[in-house]
Amino acid sequence: MNITSRQFDAAQQHRWLQAAYYHEDVVETMLGNPDIADDDNITTPRTSAAVPMDYPDALIGGNHAIHVSPETEISKRAHTSRPGVADTDQLVTYPPATSEFLVEIFH
């Protein structure tokens, strides 16, 4: 996880930051996988420039949006309401971190 000591300190005080930083780490790890990173048909615009928060994590063929999301109903609903997302097949989901796991990381 690539966060500054100041961000780490803030995450110790605010639980929502713990989940946000964990999510960012999961996204970076998935997009850094050589099967994705080395595929010329997949672009990861979120890592190449300042983009809006609801921008896709990856694009297949330049126009098929893919979002990495925790596999909760709230997250799925929030991501499928974003521009360019027609259904849940465009979501790459992962199990959300438990509170206990986040405490292990941030304390």
Side-chain angles (χ1 to χ4, degrees), residues 5-75:
S5 59
R6 185 174 178 186
Q7 290 170 317
F8 185 85
D9 292 344
Q12 289 181 313
Q13 302 300 314
H14 304 284
R15 296 216 41 194
W16 68 270
L17 277 175
Q18 295 174 10
Y21 291 144
Y22 175 75
H23 170 74
E24 186 64 20
D25 189 58
V26 170
V27 173
E28 287 178 6
T29 299
M30 285 185 176
L31 297 180
N33 179 307
D35 291 337
I36 295 171
D38 297 342
D39 188 326
D40 292 337
N41 195 39
I42 301 173
T43 57
T44 54
R46 64 182 300 286
T47 60
S48 62
V51 295
M53 192 158 185
D54 65 351
Y55 206 77
D57 295 311
L59 293 169
I60 298 175
N63 61 8
H64 186 74
I66 301 295
H67 290 268
V68 178
S69 167
E71 58 185 25
T72 65
E73 287 307 312
I74 291 171
S75 292

Side-chain angles (χ1 to χ4, degrees), residues 70-103:
E71 58 185 25
T72 65
E73 287 307 312
I74 291 171
S75 292
K76 289 178 187 177
R77 196 169 32 253
H79 281 83
T80 54
S81 70
R82 292 181 176 183
V85 180
D87 62 45
T88 57
D89 288 345
Q90 292 175 257
L91 304 180
V92 177
T93 60
Y94 63 91
T98 64
S99 296
E100 295 80 15
F101 181 70
L102 292 174
V103 166

